[in-house]
Amino acid sequence: MALFDKPIDCNKCGQQFTVDDSRLGSLRDGDLEVQYFSCPACGAKYHILTTNSTMRDLIERRKAVQLKIKAAHAKRFKERTFKKYLREYEQIKKEQEKIFPELEAQGEKILHGVSRVNEYGAGPIRCHWHKDI
């Protein structure tokens, strides 16, 4: 199953490929987990998401609140209950956004040995679908 709608061109070798489960990988360094996908031709790695225990907890909390919001909407809960869940969701999202840049930099360093810029002089492909986690 392809994870992106369109094929991707590798920054290193120019090979065009689709990202599917076979292209995904992860590295662990202590509490950090770096998720990435790789080019099938040259093996270049592209950063997807870096998490630590705090971020993983926030992801689980945000998913739980998303389920509450869905149930509140489906069961037509009172407006104030719905708004309470939305505030909780937004607070978790803000916490994630606050720690995301540092985790991203740490992940790039683990994956490429540099922070935010790869060895080809350009920033890595950034995958933004993780923001909805």
Side-chain angles (χ1 to χ4, degrees), residues 8-125:
I8 292 174
D9 295 323
C10 179
N11 291 345
K12 184 176 179 184
C13 71
Q15 174 77 29
Q16 191 174 74
F17 64 97
T18 56
V19 179
D20 59 25
D21 290 344
S22 70
R23 303 273 49 98
L24 298 177
S26 67
L27 298 170
R28 289 194 73 88
D29 185 0
D31 187 38
L32 296 175
E33 181 176 358
V34 182
Q35 297 172 0
Y36 65 92
F37 63 88
S38 59
C39 173
C42 70
K45 293 178 181 166
Y46 295 92
H47 187 213
I48 298 172
L49 177 66
T50 299
T51 61
N52 61 10
S53 56
T54 301
M55 180 62 88
R56 288 187 290 273
D57 179 58
L58 290 169
I59 290 168
E60 291 305 312
R61 287 178 44 208
R62 193 165 162 186
K63 286 179 183 177
V65 173
Q66 284 175 317
L67 291 174
K68 287 181 188 178
I69 291 169
K70 187 175 180 178
H73 184 69
K75 295 180 181 181
R76 302 183 189 272
F77 283 18
K78 293 180 182 176
E79 186 69 19
R80 72 175 179 199
T81 302
F82 189 73
K83 286 182 179 181
K84 175 186 158 200
Y85 293 155
L86 286 176
R87 281 192 304 274
E88 184 180 355
Y89 177 87
E90 288 301 319
Q91 179 58 39
I92 294 168
K93 184 177 171 182
K94 283 180 187 178
E95 290 178 51
Q96 287 178 303
E97 289 169 348
K98 194 162 97 173
I99 65 174
F100 178 77
E102 178 61 27
L103 288 174
E104 182 181 35
Q106 290 175 333
E108 285 296 325
K109 190 170 184 178
I110 291 167
L111 200 59
H112 300 292
V114 295
S115 182
R116 300 185 78 80
V117 177
N118 67 27
E119 63 267 31
Y120 314 109
I125 292 175

